[in-house]
Amino acid sequence: MDSCLPPETALSNASSATPEDLLKTPLHDLHVELGARMVPFAGYSMPVQYPAGLMAEHHHTRQAAGLFDVSHMGQLRLVGPDSAAALETLLPVDVIDLPAGKQRYGLLLNDDGGIIDDLMFFNRNMHDSANGGDLFLIVNGACKVGDIAHIQQKIGSRCEVIPMPEMALMALQGPQAVTALQRLAPGVDKLVFMTGGRFTVAGCDCFITRSGYTGEDGFEISVHESQADTLARALLAQSEVKPVGLGARNSLRLEAGLCLYGNDIDTSTTPVEAALNWAIQKVRRTGGARAGGFPGAEKILAQLADPAATLTRKRVGLVALERVPVRDHTELQSTAGAPIGQVTSGLLGPTINQPVAMGYVSPEFAAIGTRIHALVRGKPVPMEVAAMPFVPNHYYRG
């Protein structure tokens, strides 16, 4: 998920915002102290990289543990006995049956089946709202104002929609993340992928999920803004942990085959076009116990039932067969030179040391192994449709 536009885009927007216009996360002063290069991003001043540089930060996360400030993202609570059924009317996802203590990925849709945003939601004993239970949502930073307004307008009469602007969010990602974090929060190693709980870390009250956006094992940590600096410094004091900026976050997520909202998915793409069928559980599909009932259901269920007759494009992974990075918005062509689509994310993958990309192509060119061309500065670069992720995921499933 995440709203992270690539750093190139963030930098290109620099002229449209002055430092005075930008919001600051609770860790802004720490980023500056650590020597980060700050850029405008989603309305915030955010670190794009630290002195070690993007490549070193990327490799450190794959090999040890990187700490990311993602406090620009939106956090909110849905409270009330009807909150799960209400949220399920907005997503093509099984919300009602999500067990307590577990997290799931969801897609917020418009009436045409387009993706308003992608998000994560967590069942914190939502049926026990009298004792503080809720559905805890994390949405993209660039979309959070619109998301909260949309959710409030659609289901605000059925449950309380409570934004949490006072909360910061950090991600600790990498194979040694658990080693570093359990030293400060004994018991966190017992969590498995997409579960979570409340922990005290360095004296800070945290809600921690074992999840993330890099393909690595890791954690996302929600903490009150007043404790964010203390928590970040405690994590950075661990020998395994180094700070990582938006630049490496983007390269890590692309290697992991994860979509970037605003690039790879948006209101013009449906979940099926985006190859996110796995995010539509059986219970919401035709023949399921709670089939349909979400925005754009008729269109999306028809696409699921007969993709050959209904899809005009599909998201695919691409590997360049020459060492030429293929960037966003590059035209894709058949080997005969006919336009067939466009790249939505692309770069030189630091881990696999090979140009990788995501893009949309006509369905007849979407099969793994299909050879196509990317038109880079007027010259065709041979590419092959490839399975994603480009780098194997290392989620901890117990």
Side-chain angles (χ1 to χ4, degrees):
M1 68 178 261
D2 199 330
S3 54
C4 293
L5 298 172
E8 294 86 352
T9 305
L11 291 167
S12 72
N13 291 335
S15 61
S16 62
T18 67
E20 292 75 22
D21 296 329
L22 298 172
L23 299 171
K24 296 178 180 177
T25 76
L27 297 180
H28 179 271
D29 291 349
L30 178 58
H31 298 316
V32 174
E33 178 184 322
L34 294 173
R37 184 156 66 93
M38 307 298 289
V39 299
F41 181 78
Y44 285 79
S45 175
M46 296 293 288
V48 67
Q49 65 180 51
Y50 296 84
L54 185 156
M55 293 292 282
E57 293 169 20
H58 180 109
H59 291 308
H60 184 81
T61 303
R62 289 270 184 251
Q63 296 161 5
L67 181 65
F68 305 76
D69 178 14
V70 284
S71 301
H72 63 293
M73 298 180 74
Q75 302 179 60
L76 62 149
R77 304 172 62 213
L78 303 185
V79 179
D82 198 31
S83 56
L87 182 61
E88 197 169 279
T89 66
L90 306 182
L91 314 172
V93 182
D94 180 2
V95 183
I96 292 174
D97 296 329
L98 180 67
K102 295 203 171 180
Q103 189 176 40
R104 183 163 283 160
Y105 175 80
L107 298 162
L108 196 62
L109 301 178
N110 64 25
D111 290 339
D112 197 38
I115 301 171
I116 296 172
D117 197 5
D118 60 345
L119 55 84
M120 301 288 274
F121 61 96
F122 195 101
N123 178 0
R124 300 195 296 194
N125 294 318
M126 60 186 169
H127 297 303
D128 191 15
S129 55
N131 291 307
D134 59 18
L135 272 174
F136 172 53
L137 277 64
I138 299 176
V139 302
N140 286 312
C143 308
K144 63 184 177 184
V145 173
D147 286 355
I148 292 170
H150 177 80
I151 294 169
Q152 178 70 49
Q153 190 260 325
K154 293 290 186 182
I155 63 172
S157 62
R158 298 178 60 180
C159 59
E160 288 186 83
V161 181
I162 306 173
M164 304 167 70
E166 73 282 7
M167 300 303 290
L169 190 68
M170 294 172 222
L172 184 67
Q173 296 281 295
Q176 295 180 30
V178 65
T179 303
L181 188 56
Q182 72 175 347
R183 201 177 293 133
L184 298 170
V188 77
D189 56 309
K190 302 295 190 299
L191 297 176
V192 297
F193 184 56
M194 301 296 263
T195 67
R198 298 184 185 278
F199 291 84
T200 299
V201 186
C204 305
D205 300 323
C206 301
F207 186 78
I208 298 176
T209 60
R210 198 160 190 169
S211 57
Y213 189 53
T214 61
E216 298 295 333
D217 181 24
F219 303 87
E220 294 198 333
I221 308 170
S222 175
V223 64
H224 193 275
E225 60 186 355
S226 64
Q227 297 182 310
D229 185 83
T230 298
L231 176 62
R233 289 179 189 275
L235 292 169
L236 289 170
Q238 307 308 305
S239 59
E240 300 88 352
V241 182
K242 290 184 178 178
V244 178
L246 293 172
R249 190 161 185 261
N250 187 53
S251 56
L252 288 158
R253 73 88 195 167
L254 179 53
E255 285 188 339
L258 299 174
C259 289
L260 177 68
Y261 192 83
N263 272 43
D264 308 305
I265 52 176
D266 58 28
T267 54
S268 72
T269 53
T270 71
V272 186
E273 291 169 338
L276 295 172
N277 301 14
W278 57 267
I280 307 174
Q281 283 77 44
K282 185 177 179 181
V283 71
R284 307 302 307 278
R285 299 187 181 202
T286 301
R290 301 193 304 279
F294 52 83
E298 183 177 351
K299 178 178 181 178
I300 291 170
L301 294 178
Q303 290 180 336
L304 281 172
D306 192 356
T310 56
L311 290 187
T312 59
R313 59 177 182 156
K314 186 176 180 182
R315 180 175 66 95
V316 296
L318 297 163
V319 175
L321 303 180
E322 296 177 357
R323 197 175 168 78
V324 179
V326 179
R327 304 295 185 183
D328 314 353
H329 308 302
T330 299
E331 181 178 302
L332 296 170
Q333 298 182 339
S334 68
T335 54
I340 60 168
Q342 190 178 73
V343 170
T344 51
S345 294
L347 47 70
L348 179 65
T351 304
I352 62 173
N353 195 28
Q354 191 173 8
V356 294
M358 274 183 208
Y360 284 81
V361 297
S362 301
E364 60 267 35
F365 296 94
I368 302 297
T370 303
R371 295 288 178 94
I372 63 174
H373 287 159
L375 199 62
V376 179
R377 293 185 292 277
K379 296 182 179 179
V381 173
M383 303 193 84
E384 185 171 288
V385 176
M388 294 187 283
F390 300 110
V391 173
N393 292 332
H394 297 106
Y395 304 131
Y396 178 71
R397 301 182 188 274

